[in-house]
């Protein structure tokens, strides 16, 4: 391994220049202006997910009044917004908070080693632009890299894949020069990416078919929120945005609770909406009737009913079946039907890579993430001065990130006031645990064995309720589960993982 060429020193190192990392940096600059910090980003640009994915039509399936930051109003008329608008919003946040000089691009974090004697992390970083190895010494790490693998999406091993004479594309690696005009396209998948691609490609392609093994719950929403736009016009951007945010948080929670408590009622409501949007006689129960209850997996939102409009026009279709194998000309289904295609898009999901795959050690001992328990949704048992940002799976991601950042800054204030330089959660080893994410999506289920655990009650649960998190994260900073220390007090013993 190449020795580091440089060593820098900061109070807080933020990993990732996406929506979480940018938000964390803004909170730090505002609440702790005297603390030094840097953002390291493995890619050569900011924006995270919204810059990485370049497939047609990419957009948020959460409204931007809750997906946006609490501190920065979303002023665009689109509530369900496309990626370019979201990127503009993020770039504005960087500029308005003078964060440009704090971001170090092409910096991929490889490992981080905590020393109890120094109360600091030594973070090893590869410069992907120069090939150098650099080191940053940090009092804290705030990991805002999300939980997706940015290098590789999930693609099953399809039998006969090598026989297909056309082009196979994964949405995470969309070619800039892909020409699908006048071509037959089959999109494998039924999640948010697939339902976005179908209407986005249909106008130019000869025909687009969404091939799904299992249907997904799909609901239409207006791309523009008329109430939000009226409130902002009447009350101004800040007050109108704040009220809209409260309204939409309540609506999201109400829908989720309805689905969880009365799944049969929710299923009938969604089916009725789908039926009203589709051509008369359309086989709704075959293509829009999942075998699980609503919100056991994430609902897919389609703005202005674009998916349904495309189906009504005959430009796109849905096939529910299983793949037997790829063929020279397309895909052979288990039913015996063959779907002919010039291009196959494998919108088959993503891979989870918690904390970006960084190797952690604490006082020379490797950290096994599955042996840790999450604390307040942002720290891990036995790991000092380390925060991670994971948002909601049943609501807008950023709602939780904002609460985590507020708590993080309060924790720093508390430590400064009491002259502590390190803190870590201590979990009762007899405490019952369960998987970190209680979510049925395939990408989650495939990764559960590699993830930290959660407990059965606060503060050890990975809450998916904004209102519950608001009580926990805006309450007292310290409790009996947190252990604080100073570097000079460590003669009595090191931190245990």
């Amino acid at each position: 391994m190449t020795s580091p060429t440089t060593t820098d020193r900061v109070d807080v190192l933020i990993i990732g220049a996406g929506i979480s990392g940018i938000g964390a940096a803004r909170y730090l600059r505002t609440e702790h202006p005297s603390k030094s910090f840097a953002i390291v980003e493995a890619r050569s640009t900011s924006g995270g997910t919204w810059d990485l994915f370049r497939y047609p039509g990419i957009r948020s399936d959460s409204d931007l009044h809750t997906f946006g930051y609490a501190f920065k109003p979303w002023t665009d008329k689109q509530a369900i917004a496309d990626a370019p608008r979201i990127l503009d919003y993020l770039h504005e946040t960087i500029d308005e908070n003078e964060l440009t000089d704090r971001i170090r691009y092409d910096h991929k974090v490889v490992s981080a080693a905590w020393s109890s004697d120094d109360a600091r992390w030594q973070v090893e970083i590869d410069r992907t632009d120069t090939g150098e190895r650099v080191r940053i010494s940090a009092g804290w790490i705030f990991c805002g890299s999300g939980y997706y693998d940015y290098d590789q999406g999930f693609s099953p091993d399809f039998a006969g894949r090598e026989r297909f004479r056309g082009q196979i594309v994964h949405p995470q690696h969309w070619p800039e020069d892909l020409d699908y005009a006048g071509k037959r396209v089959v999109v494998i998948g039924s999640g948010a990416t697939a339902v976005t691609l179908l209407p986005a490609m249909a106008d130019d392609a000869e025909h687009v078919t969404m091939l799904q093994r299992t249907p997904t719950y799909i609901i239409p929403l207006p791309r523009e929120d008329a109430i939000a736009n009226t409130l902002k016009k009447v009350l101004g951007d800040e007050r109108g945005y704040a009220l809209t945010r409260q309204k939409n948080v309540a609506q999201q929670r109400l829908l989720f609770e309805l689905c969880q408590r009365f799944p049969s009622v929710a299923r009938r409501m969604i089916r009725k909406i789908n039926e009203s949007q589709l051509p008369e006689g359309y086989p709704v129960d075959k293509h829009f009737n999942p075998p699980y209850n609503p919100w056991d997996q994430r609902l897919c939102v389609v703005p202005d009913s674009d998916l349904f409009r495309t189906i009504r026009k005959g430009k796109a279709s849905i096939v529910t079946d299983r793949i037997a194998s790829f063929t020279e000309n397309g895909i052979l289904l288990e039913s015996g039907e063959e779907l002919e295609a010039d291009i196959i898009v494998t919108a088959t999901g993503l891979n989870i890579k918690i904390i970006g795959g960084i190797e952690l050690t604490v006082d020379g001992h490797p950290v096994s993430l599955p042996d840790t328990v999450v604390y307040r949704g942002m720290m891990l048992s036995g790991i000092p001065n380390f925060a991670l940002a994971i948002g909601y799976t049943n609501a807008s991601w950023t709602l939780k990130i904002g609460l985590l950042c507020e708590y993080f800054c309060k924790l720093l204030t508390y430590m400064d006031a009491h002259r502590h330089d390190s803190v870590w959660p201590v979990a009762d080893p007899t405490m019952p645990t369960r998987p970190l994410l209680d979510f049925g999506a395939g990408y989650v289920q495939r990764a559960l064995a590699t993830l930290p655990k959660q407990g059965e009650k606060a503060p050890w649960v990975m809450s998916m309720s904004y209102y519950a998190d608001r009580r926990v994260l805006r309450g007292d900073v310290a409790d009996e589960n947190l252990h604080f220390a100073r570097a000079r007090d460590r003669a009595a013993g090191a931190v245990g993982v």
Side-chain angles (χ1 to χ4, degrees):
M1 180 181 293
T2 305
S3 298
T5 57
T6 59
T7 301
D8 291 335
R9 186 180 178 92
V10 295
D11 293 321
V12 181
L13 181 66
I14 299 171
I15 301 174
I19 195 164
S20 300
I22 294 169
R26 182 272 175 191
Y27 278 95
L28 266 179
R29 181 178 280 287
T30 303
E31 302 299 324
H32 289 276
S34 64
K35 289 193 180 297
S36 60
F37 69 89
I39 307 173
V40 288
E41 168 58 50
R43 303 176 68 247
S44 58
T45 185
S46 61
T49 296
W50 303 107
D51 179 78
L52 173 69
F53 290 91
R54 304 294 181 92
Y55 60 81
I58 178 174
R59 55 171 173 75
S60 169
D61 63 351
S62 299
D63 73 277
L64 264 294
H65 300 97
T66 54
F67 192 75
Y69 300 118
F71 59 80
K72 178 173 172 57
W74 175 259
T75 58
D76 195 282
K77 288 185 177 181
Q78 283 192 6
I80 308 296
D82 54 42
R85 295 168 193 259
I86 297 172
L87 278 175
D88 286 345
Y89 176 82
L90 295 178
H91 294 158
E92 286 177 6
T93 305
I94 291 173
D95 292 340
E96 291 167 1
N97 292 278
E98 299 179 343
L99 300 177
T100 301
D101 293 340
R102 302 297 185 100
I103 304 175
R104 305 181 188 187
Y105 295 108
D106 301 303
H107 279 56
K108 182 177 179 60
V109 177
V110 177
S111 64
W114 170 263
S115 166
S116 292
D117 291 336
D118 301 327
R120 297 191 70 81
W121 289 99
Q122 299 300 322
V123 184
E124 302 284 319
I125 298 169
D126 282 342
R127 287 283 304 267
T128 57
D129 54 346
T130 66
E132 296 175 276
R133 169 68 61 91
V134 299
R135 177 183 293 153
I136 296 180
S137 173
W140 269 88
I141 292 176
F142 186 99
C143 190
S145 60
Y147 57 35
Y148 290 136
D149 184 346
Y150 273 54
D151 296 324
Q152 190 65 47
F154 176 69
S155 187
D157 292 327
F158 294 111
R161 181 180 180 128
E162 70 285 352
R163 296 166 55 195
F164 181 58
R165 293 183 296 199
Q167 191 168 1
I168 300 174
V169 176
H170 192 285
Q172 190 165 329
H173 308 283
W174 197 270
E176 291 185 10
D177 59 351
L178 181 65
D179 180 14
Y180 54 88
K183 296 182 179 179
R184 299 162 298 178
V185 180
V186 174
V187 178
I188 303 173
S190 59
T193 302
V195 302
T196 297
L197 283 168
L198 210 68
M201 300 180 74
D203 285 342
D204 295 324
E206 177 183 320
H207 191 83
V208 183
T209 301
M210 187 171 87
L211 171 58
Q212 60 182 13
R213 181 176 59 183
T214 306
T216 297
Y217 288 105
I218 299 175
I219 56 174
L221 286 179
R223 187 179 294 274
E224 296 185 6
D225 185 333
I227 296 176
N229 291 338
T230 299
L231 286 173
K232 286 183 284 188
K233 184 176 181 181
V234 173
L235 301 176
D237 286 339
E238 290 194 9
R239 292 181 62 196
Y241 176 72
L243 283 174
T244 300
R245 190 175 176 86
Q246 294 177 28
K247 170 184 75 73
N248 290 2
V249 168
Q251 286 178 176
Q252 288 177 7
R253 193 65 197 177
L254 181 62
L255 176 60
F256 178 76
E257 292 291 344
L258 170 66
C259 292
Q260 292 290 291
R261 296 183 183 185
F262 308 102
S264 297
V265 174
R267 180 189 289 267
R268 288 196 297 270
M269 290 175 58
I270 296 172
R271 187 195 184 283
K272 189 172 183 179
I273 292 171
N274 292 164
E275 187 177 29
S276 70
Q277 297 286 323
L278 292 162
E280 187 175 351
Y282 189 89
V284 179
D285 288 328
K286 181 176 182 181
H287 302 310
F288 289 89
N289 186 26
Y292 52 86
N293 288 327
W295 265 124
D296 284 353
Q297 297 187 30
R298 191 175 179 93
L299 299 183
C300 280
V301 169
V302 291
D304 291 342
S305 301
D306 58 2
L307 174 73
F308 299 110
R309 286 189 287 105
T310 305
I311 292 173
R312 289 199 303 268
K313 291 178 181 178
K315 291 288 292 179
S317 57
I318 296 178
V319 172
T320 304
D321 207 331
R322 290 178 176 269
I323 296 173
S325 69
F326 281 27
T327 67
E328 290 83 354
N329 300 315
I331 299 174
L332 178 65
L333 306 177
E334 289 188 356
S335 64
E337 179 185 359
E338 183 174 1
L339 296 178
E340 294 188 351
D342 303 301
I343 298 172
I344 295 175
V345 181
T346 55
T348 45
L350 303 166
N351 291 316
I352 284 183
K353 183 185 282 187
I354 197 76
I355 68 168
I358 301 167
E359 295 182 6
L360 299 179
T361 59
V362 173
D363 294 326
H365 301 288
V367 172
S368 171
L369 291 178
D371 295 330
T372 65
V373 187
V374 70
Y375 172 82
R376 300 203 194 200
M378 67 164 284
M379 296 181 72
L380 298 175
S381 60
I383 305 181
N385 293 23
F386 186 92
L388 73 165
I390 296 178
Y392 294 123
T393 58
N394 63 352
S396 293
W397 174 275
T398 326
L399 283 174
K400 185 156 190 171
I401 303 305
L403 294 175
L404 296 179
C405 290
E406 289 177 7
Y407 175 79
F408 177 61
C409 288
K410 288 196 303 180
L411 182 58
L412 294 180
T413 300
Y414 179 91
M415 293 177 68
D416 289 345
H418 293 81
R419 298 182 180 179
H420 298 308
D421 54 25
S422 61
V423 60
W424 63 95
V426 179
D428 181 348
T430 66
M431 177 177 64
T433 60
R434 55 195 175 96
L436 180 69
L437 299 173
D438 183 17
F439 202 51
Y443 69 90
V444 172
Q445 295 300 310
R446 290 192 300 270
L448 285 179
T450 68
L451 303 181
K453 302 294 191 299
Q454 65 172 316
E456 295 183 337
K457 60 181 180 181
W460 299 103
V461 295
M462 192 67 176
S463 169
M464 289 295 155
S465 167
Y466 175 78
Y467 296 115
D469 280 332
R470 193 168 59 179
R471 290 191 297 271
V472 170
L473 293 168
R474 290 181 176 173
D476 292 338
V477 173
D479 60 30
E480 66 276 11
N481 302 288
L482 282 183
H483 187 100
F484 295 89
R486 304 175 190 174
R488 62 175 175 271
D489 297 334
R490 296 191 184 282
V495 175
V497 178

